[in-house]
Amino acid sequence: MGYLFSTTLIASLTKPARCISISYSRIFAEQMYFPGLNGRLAFAIAAAALGSSFQHGYNTGVVNAPQQLIEDWISELKANRTNVPTSQSEVTLIWSVAVSIFCVGGMIGGSLVGWVADRFGRKGGLMLNNVLVLLTVVFEGSAKAAKSYEMIIFGRFLIGINSGLNAGLAPMYLAEISPVHLRGAVGTVYQLVITISILVSQILGLEQILGTVEQWPLLLCLTIVPAIFQVCTLPLCPESPKYLLLSRGKDMDAQRALTWLRGTIEVHDEMEEMRAEYESMKLIPKVTLRELFVNPALRIPLFISIMIMFAQQLSGINAVMFFSTKIFTMAQLDKNAAQNATMGVGAMNVLMTIVSLVLVEKAGRKTLLLVGFGGMFLDTALLTICLIFAETSRVAAYFSIVLVIMFVVLFATGPGSIPWFLVSELFNQSARPPATSVAIAVNWTANFIVSIGFLPLQDAIGAYVFIIFAILQAFFTIFIYKKVPETKNKTMEEISSMFRQISYQ
């Protein structure tokens, strides 16, 4: 299968092999149950997703494995500067800033998505964003030699801005280049690459590979690899056809881009849909941030987008992933076995995200969200009970392991992937950039709240901290059932019309 996929991508880039590309692509699409997927579209998806969401996931997980090594380096460095022994509380504070400033950068990057998407385009914004990756590598890679932990903090801030921009630009580009019936599956690719990159960072951070005193700067610098991949591949792909026509008014360029992406000249129906949307957009003023909150037809989907982003981050997934190694240790696993089990959980996250990629176009967005959040509520309630008795009961400890794995499975089936592309589905072309900015900024803000607040809460109330997540999951399940619409196989005009009707009721 891997050979067939790579052959498809290479063949599709050369005109003499066009007939071979189309036949291979058709075989690949049929095997994956994704009719309409061809080699060129797959290449564009890979170019956009691998170079962007990989940064998001890798830089989320890369700091976990070498934490103790970097903390020891910070402690020694600060002691040499001041000639006074460094307390553990000082080191913990510096490390907390280095980790959490990634989310602060993400908030800033997320709030800039709308401006960058309009000013430079979706593809152009993704390309330009790689400058921040290069600067990050310069600062983080030089920090040890320069004896400056401040350079790591600044590098984490820069890559946070990069990841915040990627979180908005990449799903927007993926949604706009996809056929309607593949929009959900293609949108899921963003979360799939995040899960893969987190797993890669866990593996590379092992002591046997790069998790050593000498190699940890290289571990941080490997974030340049996906950026190089994107800089080499994305220029071969077209800009989003919707952006070219609806935002720039370039009809012929949009048609050429769509023809390239579909691998056929038979794009008349899609072009007519986009032209109809373009004509309707001329009748209304450009959507501003204020308009999103004032206009009821826009305020309703914006509120849904914000709540879904809060739901994803406040679901407790980061807390469970953080707590997983400790849970495995409670079950009498030694340190290495607990780390391997944690990586097994990461692998399960990847596997179930692949499953959701198939299910999202069959079961629908709302169904998967309800199954995910409803299941996590029950799982978290049971996990809380098991964790209370885990240290005294071997049975409770083993049940905790099962429940952690089940939690990850439920999260990956819908709540992990759907929020990233649902925002792009709820808004038309003119409202999409500012709405995405708000939603992504909210997501990173919620991420920051969890990363800052979880440890103090866990220290204060122990395993009972998961009761808070269970209550939140129950609330979000009810909200999704009552307020979130199903967008599967619906055109942008149908979705916009639905919200206009709701706003007038």
Side-chain angles (χ1 to χ4, degrees), residues 1 4-5 8 21-39 41-42 181-182 358 362:
M1 177 67 77
L4 181 59
F5 182 55
T8 303
S21 168
I22 293 173
S23 62
Y24 276 166
S25 302
R26 194 168 293 145
I27 294 168
F28 177 78
E30 288 172 359
Q31 288 178 338
M32 292 297 289
Y33 306 106
F34 294 140
L37 181 66
N38 62 74
L41 178 58
H181 65 282
L182 288 180
V358 177
K362 298 182 181 297

Side-chain angles (χ1 to χ4, degrees), residues 33-54:
Y33 306 106
F34 294 140
L37 181 66
N38 62 74
R40 293 183 177 185
L41 178 58
F43 184 84
I45 292 166
L50 285 176
S52 55
S53 53
F54 205 98

Side-chain angles (χ1 to χ4, degrees), residues 235-303:
L236 302 174
C237 306
E239 178 58 90
S240 156
K242 284 196 171 185
Y243 172 77
L244 290 171
L245 177 59
L246 279 64
S247 297
R248 289 290 177 260
K250 298 179 179 179
D251 190 287
M252 289 305 298
D253 288 347
Q255 187 162 335
R256 277 194 291 269
L258 194 60
T259 299
W260 190 95
L261 289 164
R262 299 294 176 261
T264 175
I265 59 172
E266 298 174 8
V267 295
H268 177 76
D269 291 343
E270 270 194 270
M271 283 301 301
E272 285 304 310
E273 283 181 16
M274 286 198 293
R275 287 176 183 133
E277 188 177 349
Y278 181 51
E279 292 302 319
S280 65
M281 281 176 56
K282 289 180 180 178
L283 303 176
I284 57 175
K286 186 176 180 180
V287 176
T288 61
L289 195 61
R290 179 179 178 277
E291 182 74 8
L292 284 175
F293 291 93
V294 173
N295 187 336
L298 296 174
R299 187 171 62 236
I300 295 170
L302 180 67
F303 178 65

Side-chain angles (χ1 to χ4, degrees), residues 57-75 88 91 95-96 98-99 140 144 152 156 197-222 325 335 339 343:
Y58 186 82
N59 287 285
T60 297
V62 74
V63 292
N64 292 333
Q67 176 178 345
Q68 190 59 53
L69 297 173
I70 300 176
E71 283 188 348
D72 292 343
W73 172 72
I74 291 172
S75 178
Q88 184 57 44
V91 175
W95 179 248
S96 297
V99 172
E140 293 187 351
K144 190 175 182 182
I152 288 183
R156 292 278 298 169
S197 56
I198 290 174
L199 182 59
V200 168
S201 72
Q202 290 174 334
I203 295 170
L204 292 177
L206 290 173
E207 191 175 338
Q208 304 91 312
I209 305 179
L210 294 177
T212 64
V213 174
E214 297 80 18
Q215 301 293 340
W216 65 258
L218 176 59
L219 184 65
L220 300 181
C221 289
L222 285 180
T325 302
K335 182 182 176 183
Q339 286 181 341
M343 281 192 288

Side-chain angles (χ1 to χ4, degrees), residues 178-428:
S178 308
V180 171
H181 65 282
L182 288 180
R183 211 168 46 205
V186 173
T188 302
V189 172
Y190 185 83
Q191 177 67 15
L192 174 61
V193 177
I194 288 179
T195 61
I196 292 171
S197 56
I198 290 174
L199 182 59
V200 168
S201 72
Q202 290 174 334
I203 295 170
L204 292 177
L206 290 173
E207 191 175 338
Q208 304 91 312
I209 305 179
L210 294 177
T212 64
V213 174
E214 297 80 18
Q215 301 293 340
W216 65 258
L218 176 59
L219 184 65
L220 300 181
C221 289
L222 285 180
T223 192
I224 193 69
V225 175
I228 293 172
F229 171 81
Q230 187 171 76
V231 168
C232 292
T233 56
L234 197 56
L236 302 174
C237 306
E239 178 58 90
S240 156
K242 284 196 171 185
Y243 172 77
L244 290 171
L245 177 59
L246 279 64
S247 297
R248 289 290 177 260
K250 298 179 179 179
D251 190 287
M252 289 305 298
D253 288 347
Q255 187 162 335
R256 277 194 291 269
L258 194 60
T259 299
W260 190 95
L261 289 164
R262 299 294 176 261
T264 175
I265 59 172
E266 298 174 8
V267 295
H268 177 76
D269 291 343
E270 270 194 270
M271 283 301 301
E272 285 304 310
E273 283 181 16
M274 286 198 293
R275 287 176 183 133
E277 188 177 349
Y278 181 51
E279 292 302 319
S280 65
M281 281 176 56
K282 289 180 180 178
L283 303 176
I284 57 175
K286 186 176 180 180
V287 176
T288 61
L289 195 61
R290 179 179 178 277
E291 182 74 8
L292 284 175
F293 291 93
V294 173
N295 187 336
L298 296 174
R299 187 171 62 236
I300 295 170
L302 180 67
F303 178 65
I304 291 171
S305 300
I306 288 173
M307 291 299 290
I308 289 298
M309 288 300 187
F310 268 126
Q312 185 196 58
Q313 291 298 335
L314 299 181
S315 65
I317 183 62
N318 290 333
V320 168
M321 293 296 281
F322 173 84
F323 213 62
S324 59
T325 302
K326 185 173 182 180
I327 292 170
F328 297 143
T329 305
M330 286 178 183
Q332 308 302 315
L333 298 179
D334 61 36
K335 182 182 176 183
N336 288 334
Q339 286 181 341
N340 291 336
T342 299
M343 281 192 288
V345 170
M348 179 63 73
N349 198 6
V350 174
L351 177 63
M352 290 309 301
T353 305
I354 294 172
V355 171
S356 76
L357 189 145
V358 177
L359 290 178
V360 72
E361 294 299 353
K362 298 182 181 297
R365 286 71 158 147
K366 184 170 184 174
T367 301
L368 290 183
L369 286 172
L370 285 172
V371 169
F373 280 105
M376 283 192 294
F377 163 68
L378 296 174
D379 186 281
T380 306
L382 292 172
L383 180 61
T384 305
I385 297 169
C386 288
L387 286 177
I388 292 169
F389 298 102
E391 293 192 13
T392 56
S393 168
R394 182 69 68 88
V395 174
Y398 282 126
F399 265 116
S400 297
I401 294 177
V402 174
L403 290 168
V404 166
I405 295 171
M406 196 62 209
F407 187 98
V408 172
V409 167
L410 290 163
F411 178 81
T413 55
S417 56
I418 292 172
W420 295 116
F421 66 85
L422 187 65
V423 181
S424 293
E425 291 189 329
L426 294 180
F427 293 92
N428 61 29

